[in-house]
């Protein structure tokens, strides 16, 4: 004869089923963010897909948290509002200095040798010289950086301007601004609101590839020597929350990301391993410019 479950067994099974949603909710959410280096809609689309990918790979809830500026991304990391972030070279250095034990775990292949473009409105008549020569005739014109905390949009272009002219940007140009992001830098120069600007090379190259109207009036006039830049940085205490080896699991998931749409949106061809020491040149440069202690 078939055996029927006892009342106690039925009650226990019901209790377990009722507890399952609560048990799932007990798993902490991994929050991550990124420096706002492009249009908000593009960032939301890109990192929403990254969140879905990481959630599937890691088996924990993952949520992207947008921030208003570069400083906010560093503050959120320091305050444990996010545990993982896609930082620029400078913001990554700042964040890791504020949270001991934090590690740069991945970078794009292209981030090993990143480049800043200096661009000019066509009305200036300035063109790109041959070789590594810096263009003449920029003194007295107006100039915009990107965000104040941007590696490619502020740190490295200011470093090279000071190196070449032995003066601060405010002494070289008639007006110095901060656009907030690379796309806005391109738009401001293309419109003639600023004569010159400095931006992430990949943003300009993407605009060329898309046939954006901005590249019809803004042209590249100089390219910096390469330097290390963007990186994924994770807090040092994540293993305590999600289990031993969790940071390594996140690193492996990022390195094994192969979705062409996600990679193209960065744009990167792939992610590779990174470590803190790779960004020592950025840290030294930031100290020279008194951007960090």
């Amino acid at each position: 004869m078939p055996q029927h479950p006892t009342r106690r067994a039925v009650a226990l099974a019901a209790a377990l089923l009722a507890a399952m949603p609560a048990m799932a909710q007990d798993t902490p959410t991994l929050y991550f963010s990124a420096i706002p280096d492009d249009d908000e809609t593009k960032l939301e689309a890109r990192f929403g897909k990254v969140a879905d990918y990481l959630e599937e790979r890691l088996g924990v809830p993952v949520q992207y948290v947008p921030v208003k500026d570069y400083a906010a991304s560093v503050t959120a990391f320091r305050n444990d509002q996010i545990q993982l972030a896609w930082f620029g070279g400078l913001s990554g250095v700042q964040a890791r200095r504020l949270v001991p034990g934090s590690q740069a775990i991945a970078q794009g292949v292209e981030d090993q040798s990143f480049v800043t473009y200096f661009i000019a409105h066509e009305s200036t008549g300035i063109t790109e010289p041959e070789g590594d020569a810096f263009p003449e005739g920029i003194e007295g014109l107006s100039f915009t950086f990107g965000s104040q905390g941007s590696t490619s949009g502020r740190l490295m272009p200011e470093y090279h301007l000071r190196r070449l002219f032995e003066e601060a940007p405010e002494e070289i140009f008639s007006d110095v601004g901060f656009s907030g992001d690379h796309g806005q830098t391109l738009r401001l120069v293309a419109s003639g609101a600023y004569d010159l600007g400095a931006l992430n090379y990949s943003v300009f190259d993407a605009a060329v590839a898309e046939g954006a109207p901005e590249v019809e009036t803004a042209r590249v006039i100089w390219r910096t020597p390469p330097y290390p830049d963007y990186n994924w940085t994770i807090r040092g205490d994540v293993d305590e929350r999600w289990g031993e080896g969790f940071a390594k699991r996140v690193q492996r998931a990022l390195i094994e990301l192969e979705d062409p749409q996600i990679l193209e949106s960065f744009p990167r061809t792939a992610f590779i391993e990174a470590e803190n020491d790779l960004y020592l040149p950025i840290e030294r440069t930031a100290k020279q410019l008194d951007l960090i202690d």
Side-chain angles (χ1 to χ4, degrees):
M1 295 179 61
Q3 295 186 354
H4 296 285
T6 65
R7 289 184 178 180
R8 182 178 179 182
V10 171
L12 179 60
L16 287 172
L17 286 171
M20 284 179 66
M23 291 167 61
Q25 291 172 5
D26 286 342
T27 303
T29 297
L30 174 67
Y31 294 100
F32 78 98
S33 192
I35 52 172
D37 61 351
D38 208 339
D39 295 340
E40 184 177 345
T41 53
K42 291 182 180 180
L43 295 177
E44 290 277 4
R46 178 195 309 168
F47 291 109
K49 293 178 181 178
V50 172
D52 292 342
Y53 167 78
L54 288 176
E55 185 165 296
E56 182 178 351
R57 282 293 306 264
L58 300 173
V60 304
V62 179
Q63 183 174 332
Y64 167 62
V65 180
V67 292
K68 64 178 182 179
D69 55 35
Y70 282 54
S73 68
V74 174
T75 299
F77 191 81
R78 180 193 65 193
N79 293 343
D80 197 23
Q81 294 167 302
I82 57 172
Q83 295 79 46
L84 174 71
W86 175 242
F87 283 129
L90 175 58
S91 50
V93 166
Q94 292 170 323
R96 291 190 294 273
R97 285 163 61 90
L98 291 169
V99 185
S102 308
Q103 294 293 321
I105 56 173
Q107 62 177 183
V109 169
E110 294 78 5
D111 294 304
Q112 301 172 93
S113 300
F114 216 76
V115 174
T116 291
Y117 285 170
F118 280 59
I119 60 174
H121 189 268
E122 62 179 0
S123 65
T124 64
I126 300 173
T127 57
E128 185 173 14
E130 294 184 5
D132 298 327
F134 194 82
E136 297 180 354
I138 72 167
E139 297 94 326
L141 299 178
S142 59
F143 184 95
T144 182
F145 293 104
S147 167
Q148 294 188 25
S150 171
T151 306
S152 54
R154 191 277 177 88
L155 177 70
M156 297 312 297
E158 179 167 348
Y159 167 75
H160 285 291
L161 286 169
R162 288 177 178 269
R163 177 181 64 84
L164 292 163
F165 291 89
E166 298 183 346
E167 290 182 318
E170 292 77 12
E171 297 168 324
I172 303 169
F173 304 109
S174 61
D175 180 35
V176 175
F178 292 92
S179 70
D181 67 64
H182 302 289
Q184 182 67 354
T185 296
L186 176 56
R187 287 188 288 273
L188 288 172
V189 174
S191 70
Y194 281 89
D195 299 314
L196 308 165
L199 77 165
N200 173 333
Y201 82 95
S202 66
V203 172
F204 189 90
D205 286 354
V208 172
E210 295 166 3
E214 288 83 1
V215 299
E216 296 178 8
T217 54
R219 61 182 64 153
V220 177
I221 60 170
W222 193 65
R223 304 158 201 253
T224 65
Y227 53 86
D229 201 355
Y230 288 73
N231 58 93
W232 287 101
T233 287
I234 197 165
R235 288 177 59 96
D237 54 6
V238 295
D239 284 11
E240 298 173 15
R241 270 179 267 188
W242 286 279
E244 187 68 28
F246 184 77
K248 286 291 186 184
R249 290 176 57 206
V250 175
Q251 181 184 49
R252 185 165 60 251
L254 291 169
I255 292 171
E256 293 176 358
L257 196 164
E258 296 180 342
D259 186 316
Q261 289 187 334
I262 296 179
L263 291 171
E264 185 179 348
S265 70
F266 272 84
R268 298 296 186 275
T269 54
F271 292 113
I272 59 176
E273 288 187 20
E275 57 183 27
N276 293 356
D277 286 352
L278 294 175
Y279 299 91
L280 288 175
I282 296 296
E283 185 170 358
R284 288 194 292 266
T285 301
K287 287 180 178 179
Q288 290 175 22
L289 297 181
D290 294 324
L291 296 179
I292 59 174
D293 298 326

